Amino acid sequence: MAENIPADLKYTREHEWTRAKGHLIVVGITDHAQSSLGDVVYVELPKVGASLTEGKQFGVIESTKAVSELYSPVSGKVVNVNQALVDNPSTVNTDPYGEGWILEVEPSDTKQLDGLLDAAAYTALLQNT
């Protein structure tokens, strides 16, 4: 089955995606992750203003099959969270790269993005797991 992996995004090995939006980074989980989880029923969001550390847990996503931790792709400050996910967490399933975004981060060092996977590397990761 072909994976939906947009070429303009960066990815973590833990299946989060990032999109540059001006000086901010938008974060969500990949289509592969949402598909593996199944029906998402809950997303724990951090508070606006919270500090994130690259590679550390920032939240939890729960589905009918599993509970998974969410890991920050960069260090920085949370400037916005997707409150719509509280009422409708299944948006992560229906539009993981659009309305299913999770948070926006003001990164403390944009060079951290250089350490993330591009679409080709993420595709290779999925093929080797």
Side-chain angles (χ1 to χ4, degrees):
M1 182 173 121
E3 298 282 348
N4 179 11
I5 304 171
D8 62 330
L9 304 180
K10 295 277 200 159
Y11 302 89
T12 70
R13 294 182 179 280
E14 291 75 30
H15 309 289
E16 285 87 13
W17 58 260
T18 66
R19 175 183 293 125
K21 179 181 169 188
H23 69 287
L24 302 178
I25 304 298
V26 183
V27 178
I29 68 165
T30 66
D31 187 48
H32 172 81
Q34 70 78 24
S35 178
S36 297
L37 283 168
D39 295 334
V40 174
V41 295
Y42 175 76
V43 180
E44 178 187 277
L45 301 171
K47 293 182 188 258
V48 170
S51 293
L52 302 181
T53 301
E54 179 185 16
K56 299 294 184 183
Q57 182 182 347
F58 71 79
V60 171
I61 190 164
E62 184 176 340
S63 73
T64 55
K65 293 164 65 175
V67 176
S68 295
E69 297 173 339
L70 298 167
Y71 297 97
S72 183
V74 295
S75 296
K77 183 173 82 175
V78 176
V79 295
N80 194 13
V81 296
N82 188 354
Q83 285 294 333
L85 293 181
V86 174
D87 294 330
N88 193 5
S90 65
T91 305
V92 171
N93 294 115
T94 58
D95 193 10
Y97 298 115
E99 295 300 315
W101 64 277
I102 295 173
L103 55 81
E104 293 178 339
V105 180
E106 183 176 359
S108 56
D109 182 359
T110 56
K111 290 183 179 178
Q112 292 175 340
L113 294 172
D114 296 341
L116 299 177
L117 305 173
D118 62 16
Y122 185 67
T123 299
L125 174 75
L126 295 180
Q127 291 171 343
N128 293 321
T129 55

